[in-house]
Amino acid sequence: MEMQHFIHECPLTLTPSDKYYSDDDYRCELCRGRIFEASVYVCFKCDIVLHKSCAELPREINHLFHPQHPLTLIARPPGKHFKCDVCGCPFWNAKYHCSQCDFELDPACASLMPIANHDDNNSHTSPHVHPHPFIPCFTEKKFAYCSGCSKFIEDTIYVCLQCKFVLHEACTKFPYKIRHIFHPQHPLVLTKAGTAYEIGSLELCTACRADFNGFTYHCAECKFSLDMNCVSLRPIVKFKLHQHPLAFFKDNEKGNKFGCACCGCNKCNHFFRCVECDFNFHLHCVPTLPLTRKHQCHRHSLTLTKSPIRDSPEEDENSEFYCDVCETPRYLPNPTYYCAECHFVAHVSCMIYEDDLPGLGEEPCLVVELEREIEIEDGEESDSEDSTLAKLNKEMEAITAKLEILKQERARHISSQAQLRSARLRLLHRSTV
Ligand SMILES: [Zn+2]
Ligand SMILES: [Zn+2]
Ligand SMILES: [Zn+2]
Ligand SMILES: [Zn+2]
Ligand SMILES: [Zn+2]
Ligand SMILES: [Zn+2]
Ligand SMILES: [Zn+2]
Ligand SMILES: [Zn+2]
């Protein structure tokens, strides 16, 4: 089978792609990708190849995502990539392009077909949930990963062109704007990885410092991001050594990035933290830990022990030590719960449950009041917005009234000038006669 393709002047022949073309020297003329498909279009004379799927893409399309103008297929220059204006993702492929608007669409998103008259088309446009309409779409190409949860989308795909979201139905339900006590200054807006900052820069949750995929709540002004795990956290205990209540971060794998204000070490993944002040405090450094503790794993009660527990005297810090409850390593200098009789050693974190945490506080934890303060502030913000608007409206009214007066005055001047001129002309005429 032969075809004439706009990318190349000679006719192309459909050929099975044998091992010969899988060589890295052969790249598809359109997408610059390697040859992996079973058949390719080849120009034997010029030794160029096109994926069958790429060669069969229409050269020009009309798409509802950019209804103003038709979109033209453009080959990817070697070494370059594009960024899709629908899903917001970088892509290494040919693009559909509108040169008038510089609108770029990856061929995968171009395959998304809006579903006309979808029954719940408008149920997603409630401004309280999301201020932009979601366009329900389907595609025959199975490619779409949810911008929110990063999972594959099996059924209807919901697109928000303003936010560049491609979502599961369930992921369209997240509130667009929230207030969070970790960043009381500003509201946080639902954003996805790859759009908040330039692509390639690291995106980390400000609260737990884990890198994230998918949704975050973000303050662009402060570059503050909360991943979906940390959104559910809030301060729960108040200790004397910090003026704010602290939230608990359990088994945080980035624990080594948080130095403890008490012991200075960063070898523990369980800690209390004030996100606003970047103040961290290990669980095992808490002064109010119970002195003895009972665990179902051991028949005796265990005693809080601050001195390092070795398994034999000749061991030093470089030896490996394990917790007898969870059987994962423990760092020798950290306090433990210990039964000397049986030489049973446990992590502090394995002996303190989440229900115990609020009880460790030294002072009342007034988070509810703090949250109420944020709410009041929020209310005031919109009030002051309203009053600013009212003030501006009044000013505009005053200026418009003044403008009216000036216009009338100007008209009077113009007409009196005209009268003066014609009087002068008449005088001139008379004197020349
Ligand atoms: Zn290709
Ligand atoms: Zn896309
Ligand atoms: Zn999802
Ligand atoms: Zn949106
Ligand atoms: Zn902010
Ligand atoms: Zn603080
Ligand atoms: Zn510590
Ligand atoms: Zn343990």
Side-chain angles (χ1 to χ4, degrees):
M1 207 167 84
E2 288 212 335
M3 87 176 317
Q4 194 62 50
H5 197 278
F6 69 87
I7 200 113
H8 192 65
E9 62 272 26
C10 321
L12 305 174
T13 313
L14 188 64
T15 318
S17 83
D18 44 32
K19 285 201 187 79
Y20 180 64
Y21 290 113
S22 65
D23 183 24
D24 198 32
D25 290 344
Y26 286 98
R27 295 281 179 146
C28 167
E29 284 294 300
L30 259 174
C31 71
R32 304 286 168 195
R34 299 186 64 163
I35 307 302
F36 50 83
E37 287 182 359
S39 32
V40 284
Y41 279 96
V42 182
C43 170
F44 294 109
K45 196 175 113 211
C46 311
D47 201 23
I48 67 150
V49 259
L50 254 78
H51 290 124
K52 182 172 180 287
S53 60
C54 286
E56 288 169 356
L57 286 171
R59 183 176 189 178
E60 194 178 275
I61 58 167
N62 291 299
H63 205 287
L64 269 163
F65 289 157
H66 189 73
Q68 303 89 316
H69 309 112
L71 305 173
T72 316
L73 188 64
I74 309 268
R76 177 167 77 94
K80 269 197 76 177
H81 71 271
F82 302 119
K83 193 171 169 187
C84 176
D85 282 315
V86 166
C87 66
C89 297
F91 63 96
W92 286 257
N93 201 343
K95 66 173 173 182
Y96 280 104
H97 189 233
C98 166
S99 56
Q100 287 176 70
C101 311
D102 199 22
F103 177 88
E104 301 186 328
L105 186 63
D106 69 60
C109 285
S111 79
L112 289 173
M113 285 299 141
I115 304 170
N117 302 323
H118 191 268
D119 23 314
D120 53 3
N121 196 356
N122 289 317
S123 66
H124 299 281
T125 56
S126 156
H128 304 292
V129 180
H130 195 91
H132 320 121
F134 282 111
I135 307 169
C137 298
F138 82 96
T139 175
E140 276 160 11
K141 294 187 181 178
K142 293 278 170 212
F143 77 94
Y145 289 87
C146 178
S147 314
C149 66
S150 307
K151 288 183 193 135
F152 182 69
I153 309 178
E154 304 256 8
D155 36 19
T156 310
I157 297 161
Y158 290 83
V159 175
C160 172
L161 292 175
Q162 282 92 334
C163 300
K164 302 195 192 333
F165 288 165
V166 173
L167 301 173
H168 285 119
E169 184 176 4
C171 289
T172 63
K173 308 282 157 94
F174 287 99
Y176 182 65
K177 241 187 211 182
I178 59 162
R179 279 285 191 168
H180 201 283
I181 193 160
F182 287 166
H183 191 67
Q185 304 89 314
H186 306 117
L188 305 175
V189 175
L190 190 64
T191 314
K192 63 165 191 178
T195 51
Y197 309 110
E198 272 310 295
I199 286 188
S201 75
L202 266 183
E203 297 184 89
L204 301 177
C205 170
T206 315
C208 71
R209 301 213 184 132
D211 31 16
F212 53 75
N213 261 319
F215 277 157
T216 55
Y217 280 101
H218 183 69
C219 170
E221 204 180 321
C222 310
K223 290 205 184 329
F224 178 99
S225 292
L226 267 192
D227 65 21
M228 298 316 263
N229 294 325
C230 289
V231 163
S232 58
L233 293 179
R234 64 210 288 266
I236 49 166
V237 265
K238 175 78 185 69
F239 296 110
K240 282 183 189 144
L241 80 174
H242 189 71
Q243 74 261 39
H244 304 127
L246 309 179
F248 185 62
F249 289 75
K250 186 185 156 70
D251 203 13
N252 182 315
E253 51 187 52
K254 296 278 152 60
N256 60 351
K257 296 190 174 172
F258 300 91
C260 172
C262 166
C263 68
C265 90
N266 55 358
K267 292 229 164 46
C268 180
N269 294 349
H270 307 270
F271 49 90
F272 293 98
R273 169 164 167 78
C274 174
V275 173
E276 218 185 323
C277 306
D278 195 13
F279 175 92
N280 310 300
F281 186 38
H282 286 149
L283 172 64
H284 59 235
C285 294
V286 165
T288 49
L289 287 175
L291 296 178
T292 58
R293 214 56 181 139
K294 190 98 186 56
H295 195 281
Q296 64 202 33
C297 284
H298 195 72
R299 61 185 183 283
H300 306 123
S301 70
L302 309 179
T303 309
L304 181 66
T305 310
K306 303 252 162 112
S307 52
I309 308 293
R310 292 181 171 81
D311 295 328
S312 67
E314 60 271 17
E315 285 172 329
D316 63 4
E317 272 195 39
N318 301 320
S319 312
E320 285 190 353
F321 302 93
Y322 290 87
C323 165
D324 293 320
V325 171
C326 69
E327 292 177 345
T328 65
R330 61 184 175 86
Y331 180 58
L332 187 62
N334 288 350
T336 50
Y337 279 98
Y338 181 49
C339 170
E341 198 181 330
C342 314
H343 191 72
F344 185 95
V345 197
H347 286 128
V348 168
S349 57
C350 286
M351 300 297 292
I352 302 287
Y353 306 117
E354 278 192 58
D355 290 349
D356 301 324
L357 299 172
L360 298 176
E362 297 169 294
E363 288 170 359
C365 177
L366 303 172
V367 172
V368 181
E369 297 205 353
L370 282 174
E371 280 177 341
R372 200 176 306 132
E373 259 173 49
I374 296 177
E375 260 169 45
I376 291 166
E377 229 178 75
D378 220 6
E380 272 171 2
E381 192 180 279
S382 59
D383 277 350
S384 73
E385 274 295 305
D386 284 349
S387 69
T388 314
L389 198 67
K391 222 168 90 191
L392 286 172
N393 280 342
K394 254 191 198 141
E395 259 173 42
M396 261 169 68
E397 267 169 40
I399 290 171
T400 315
K402 204 167 171 191
L403 190 69
E404 236 3 87
I405 296 170
L406 287 173
K407 269 186 189 163
Q408 284 169 12
E409 215 171 316
R410 181 169 172 268
R412 261 205 313 279
H413 275 284
I414 288 173
S415 77
S416 70
Q417 233 172 25
Q419 277 171 13
L420 212 67
R421 206 176 297 132
S422 64
R424 254 196 227 131
L425 273 176
R426 256 180 276 129
L427 269 174
L428 202 68
H429 188 66
R430 218 176 282 160
S431 61
T432 50
V433 170

